[in-house]
Amino acid sequence: MKPYSESCDQNREPILSVIKPLFADRRGVLEIGSGTGQHAVYFAAALPHLTWYTSDCPEYHAGIRLWLEEAALPNVCAPLQLDVARSTWPELEVDAVFSANTAHIMHWPEVEAMFAGVGGLLPSGGLFALYGPFNYNGLFTSDSNARFDGWLKGRDPAMGVRDFEDLDRLAEAAGMRLLNDYAMPANNRILCWQRQ
Ligand SMILES: C[S@@+](CC[C@H](N)C(=O)[O-])C[C@H]1O[C@@H](n2cnc3c(N)ncnc32)[C@H](O)[C@@H]1O
């Protein structure tokens, strides 16, 4: 049976409303941490001009494949094995990277590896769009995000909602500059950096 994430169904339309204009002139997108694969099939179907590359750690591949097989889209690719900290990054011709709800799951060295990897992969002008909850100046933007952070740290103390400023520093070190910070429903954001 296909894996299913309710939150993907809830956030896919608001995310699409941001990435549709953002990726209008893009050709290839690498998705980091595709999870169930729901986002990939929804976004690839809505953005047929793009080649959408899915990726994740191997334990997610079977589920992603089920979603891809059912959707049978010509522009979404079988999952690549990409653990941002442990894999050799694939050599892809992409001009954008998308990732949702990964920075708070990854341990900090993995977040560092993700930004370094994205900076190394993207050509000049390439975009990195990162969806999720973020803190600003060390402060939660809502009680629900604070509770979520507590729940994450209860699962694994190395997880947690990341500070925008820390991520922006990693982006800058990887040659990227913040292009926009979009407010999203349920106290989430899409942070978008551009490779210089
Ligand atoms: C909460 S899920 C989000 C999945 C999907 N993007 C979504 O929004 O529903 C976190 C994802 O991050 C991936 N992830 C965690 N650590 C990772 C790493 N080191 N490299 C690549 N992906 C990682 C997990 O495998 C999982 O798919």
Side-chain angles (χ1 to χ4, degrees), residues 112 115-116 118-120 128 164-179 192-196:
E112 292 178 315
F115 276 81
V118 170
F128 178 30
F164 160 75
E165 292 79 9
D166 292 337
L167 299 178
D168 199 40
R169 263 190 292 277
L170 295 183
E172 197 186 328
M176 296 183 281
R177 188 175 300 159
L178 189 73
L179 194 63
C192 182
W193 291 274
Q194 184 162 45
R195 185 77 172 87
Q196 299 304 293

Side-chain angles (χ1 to χ4, degrees), residues 11 14-19 22 98-99 128-132 134 136 178 180-184 188-193:
N11 61 31
I15 294 175
L16 181 62
S17 71
V18 170
I19 64 171
L22 202 56
F98 171 80
S99 193
F128 178 30
L130 182 64
Y131 170 88
F134 304 104
Y136 292 82
L178 189 73
N180 221 325
D181 175 355
Y182 302 88
M184 303 298 290
N188 288 297
R189 319 283 305 180
I190 291 180
L191 303 173
C192 182
W193 291 274

Side-chain angles (χ1 to χ4, degrees), residues 8 33-35 39 56-57 60 82-84 100-102 105-106 110:
C8 278
S34 296
H39 276 157
D56 211 315
C57 305
Y60 286 83
L82 179 58
D83 177 319
V84 291
N101 291 315
T102 46
I105 299 293
M106 292 175 185
E110 296 169 334

Side-chain angles (χ1 to χ4, degrees), residues 12-192:
R12 65 185 192 176
E13 200 51 50
I15 294 175
L16 181 62
S17 71
V18 170
I19 64 171
K20 194 169 185 176
L22 202 56
F23 292 170
D25 63 350
R26 301 290 104 178
R27 295 157 64 102
V29 177
L30 169 66
E31 181 183 17
I32 296 174
S34 296
T36 61
Q38 283 165 263
H39 276 157
V41 297
Y42 192 72
F43 299 148
L47 305 168
H49 65 287
L50 285 176
T51 300
W52 192 278
Y53 296 92
T54 58
S55 79
D56 211 315
C57 305
E59 59 267 32
Y60 286 83
H61 286 202
I64 296 170
R65 283 179 195 281
L66 290 176
W67 280 91
L68 265 48
E69 278 162 20
E70 186 188 72
L73 296 165
N75 63 325
V76 60
C77 301
L80 299 162
Q81 181 173 330
L82 179 58
D83 177 319
V84 291
R86 292 165 199 89
S87 306
T88 303
W89 280 60
E91 284 184 27
L92 297 173
E93 291 211 4
V94 294
D95 47 13
V97 175
F98 171 80
S99 193
N101 291 315
T102 46
H104 56 264
I105 299 293
M106 292 175 185
H107 295 188
W108 185 248
E110 296 169 334
V111 178
E112 292 178 315
M114 174 164 69
F115 276 81
V118 170
L121 181 68
L122 284 176
S124 173
L127 300 176
F128 178 30
L130 182 64
Y131 170 88
F134 304 104
N135 289 344
Y136 292 82
N137 298 311
L139 299 174
F140 293 105
T141 60
S142 67
D143 290 345
S144 62
N145 279 1
R147 282 195 298 276
F148 181 54
D149 182 71
W151 178 80
L152 286 168
K153 290 192 165 83
R155 274 178 67 190
D156 180 342
M159 292 182 184
V161 175
R162 307 300 174 191
D163 278 5
F164 160 75
E165 292 79 9
D166 292 337
L167 299 178
D168 199 40
R169 263 190 292 277
L170 295 183
E172 197 186 328
M176 296 183 281
R177 188 175 300 159
L178 189 73
L179 194 63
N180 221 325
D181 175 355
Y182 302 88
M184 303 298 290
N187 305 298
N188 288 297
R189 319 283 305 180
I190 291 180
L191 303 173
C192 182

